[in-house]
């Protein structure tokens, strides 16, 4: 039985519809649907400007920013600079594990991941780099209502830019001498982490928590499919295609099976929620099955319950993934 909490939360948190202003940049979406990918987006290293460090709960916190390598794909002005927060154990060195955390849908700013994930991991000797998504928080464009992206093309730009920025951070950390690196994320953030790991092609710890194998499963099968402006999207197509079919075609390009597996699958941990109304259980299994040698674990709850009550499962998966990376 799917989680009642997921259903209640979805109805409460989605009072506006995703993509209420339509498809957006149709040419970009047609290029994506045809399989085009901007390889130049994921080849850069971050040129970081750092702010002064501060100490909180025994951890060192430092914010940084850099020009997004994806600025040229039409990001709004507010999103053109990547912003992140690094949280490390007080006595960290270049041997301290560091994990880049990508944002879940609606996770704006740094505080949620800092409190729930980064500070507890710092106590375990693992540092975190919390990346703020384009279109969210300080990077949210004027006129956008919270997490509710106005156009379908905004979703693709968000994902492509976040992956490009995350890979740029990993390259910069590697260049700076950090030896034990990883990528992680919850829900949508896990999908971005998976893509980043595939693109980087180097040994990394990878942690995907309540993550789908493809954004198509989230927006056309899970409960979020009820909160898209389908009527408007259909009208914009003028009978040329069915909106749900075109949405599937576009979002299928995020399917992990389109990418090579991470370089070290024994350091990959996938955690699914058995009663998840957002991410079908079959999609979680597809993610795991695409990476032979990865570890799949389950929590007996839904999507929201997993984050609220089973965060320890995520933290343990991160600890275990970095342990495998060191083997």
């Amino acid at each position: 039985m799917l989680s009642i909490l997921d259903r209640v939360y979805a109805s409460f948190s989605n009072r506006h519809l995703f993509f209420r202003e339509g498809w957006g940049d149709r040419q970009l979406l047609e290029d994506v649907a045809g399989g085009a990918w901007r390889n130049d987006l994921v080849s850069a290293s971050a040129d970081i400007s750092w702010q002064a460090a501060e100490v909180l709960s025994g951890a060192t916190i430092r914010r940084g920013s850099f020009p997004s390598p994806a600025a040229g794909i039409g990001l709004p002005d507010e999103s053109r600079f990547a912003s992140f927060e690094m949280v490390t154990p007080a006595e960290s060195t270049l041997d301290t594990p560091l994990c880049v955390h990508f944002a879940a849908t609606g996770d704006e700013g740094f505080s949620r991941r800092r409190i729930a994930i980064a500070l507890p991991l710092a106590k375990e000797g693992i540092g975190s780099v919390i990346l703020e998504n384009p279109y969210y928080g300080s990077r949210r464009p004027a006129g956008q209502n919270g997490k509710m992206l106005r156009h379908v093309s905004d979703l693709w730009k968000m994902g492509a830019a976040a992956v490009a920025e995350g890979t740029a951070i990993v390259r910069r950390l590697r260049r700076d001498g950090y030896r034990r690196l990883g990528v992680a994320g919850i829900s949508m953030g896990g999908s971005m982490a998976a893509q980043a790991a595939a693109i980087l092609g180097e040994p990394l710890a990878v942690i995907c928590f309540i993550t789908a194998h493809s954004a198509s499963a989230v927006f056309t099968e899970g409960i979020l499919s009820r909160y898209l402006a389908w009527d408007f999207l259909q009208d914009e197509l003028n009978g040329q295609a069915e909106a749900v079919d075109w949405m599937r075609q576009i979002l299928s390009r995020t399917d992990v099976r389109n990418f090579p597996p991470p370089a070290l699958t024994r350091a990959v941990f996938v955690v699914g929620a058995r009663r998840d109304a957002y991410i079908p259980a079959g999609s979680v299994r597809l993610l795991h099955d695409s990476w032979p040698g990865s570890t799949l674990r389950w929590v007996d709850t839904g999507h929201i319950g997993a984050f609220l009550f089973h965060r320890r499962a995520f933290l343990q998966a991160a600890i275990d993934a970095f342990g495998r990376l060191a083997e």
Side-chain angles (χ1 to χ4, degrees):
M1 179 180 179
L2 296 180
S3 167
I4 294 175
L5 178 58
D6 283 359
R7 298 175 187 178
V8 171
Y9 182 82
S11 64
F12 175 78
S13 65
N14 296 296
R15 296 178 179 177
H16 299 275
L17 297 177
F18 283 97
F19 317 134
R20 66 186 186 277
E21 294 183 26
W23 296 97
D25 187 340
R26 290 280 295 276
Q27 185 58 57
L28 180 148
L29 294 177
E30 288 172 7
D31 291 343
V32 171
W37 176 257
R38 291 282 302 276
N39 291 322
D40 58 310
L41 299 183
V42 292
S43 61
S45 175
D47 183 14
I48 298 172
S49 297
W50 291 100
Q51 297 181 19
E54 59 179 301
V55 176
L56 177 67
S57 300
T60 300
I61 299 177
R62 197 177 184 193
R63 290 192 177 179
S65 62
F66 60 96
S68 174
I73 64 174
L75 292 180
D77 290 343
E78 298 90 338
S79 295
R80 289 177 175 268
F81 276 80
S83 180
F84 67 89
E85 186 174 271
M86 180 181 284
V87 181
T88 55
E91 303 300 324
S92 64
T93 69
L94 293 178
D95 287 319
T96 299
L98 271 179
C99 190
V100 177
H101 296 272
F102 293 86
T105 301
D107 186 357
E108 301 192 277
F110 307 113
S111 60
R112 185 186 302 178
R113 281 173 287 167
R114 182 199 313 127
I115 294 168
I117 298 170
L119 290 175
L121 283 179
K123 293 178 180 178
E124 301 287 348
I126 298 173
S128 298
V129 178
I130 308 169
L131 178 64
E132 184 169 54
N133 265 1
Y135 294 88
Y136 280 177
S138 65
R139 307 180 69 187
R140 186 201 301 171
Q144 179 177 301
N145 192 317
K147 68 180 180 181
M148 314 309 288
L149 301 175
R150 292 182 292 178
H151 308 100
V152 177
S153 59
D154 293 345
L155 178 65
W156 188 88
K157 291 177 184 179
M158 171 194 278
V163 171
E165 292 160 10
T167 57
I169 291 172
V170 171
R171 287 192 178 94
R172 173 60 185 265
L173 294 172
R174 189 73 77 188
R175 191 183 81 190
D176 288 347
Y178 288 94
R179 301 176 182 89
R180 300 174 63 193
L181 299 175
V183 290
I186 295 172
S187 192
M188 178 178 70
S191 298
M192 295 176 183
Q195 292 178 45
I199 290 166
L200 284 161
E202 61 184 73
L204 298 167
V206 182
I207 307 95
C208 298
F209 190 70
I210 50 176
T211 298
H213 77 290
S214 168
S216 177
V218 178
F219 286 97
T220 69
E221 298 176 35
I223 199 168
L224 278 187
S225 64
R226 304 178 187 178
Y227 300 98
L228 274 62
W230 287 115
D231 289 345
F232 189 73
L233 292 169
Q234 187 62 61
D235 289 344
E236 274 205 334
L237 291 177
N238 295 319
Q240 297 172 356
E242 291 297 320
V244 68
D245 292 338
W246 206 43
M247 186 73 73
R248 284 196 189 101
Q249 186 176 358
I250 293 164
L251 298 185
S252 69
R253 298 303 173 187
T254 66
D255 192 317
V256 296
R257 293 171 294 183
N258 293 329
F259 301 87
L264 193 67
T265 54
R266 73 168 184 266
V268 175
F269 281 73
V270 177
V271 181
R274 295 189 186 279
R275 295 185 282 126
D276 197 328
Y278 287 80
I279 310 294
S283 180
V284 177
R285 293 191 186 94
L286 276 174
L287 177 65
H288 164 63
D289 291 344
S290 300
W291 298 334
S294 63
T295 297
L296 173 61
R297 295 172 177 170
W298 294 95
V299 291
D300 189 21
T301 186
H303 199 79
I304 305 304
F307 180 77
L308 292 178
F309 310 120
H310 294 271
R311 288 196 294 268
R312 185 65 206 177
F314 177 91
L315 299 176
Q316 190 60 53
I319 294 166
D320 293 344
F322 277 101
R324 295 275 181 88
L325 187 64
E327 293 175 356

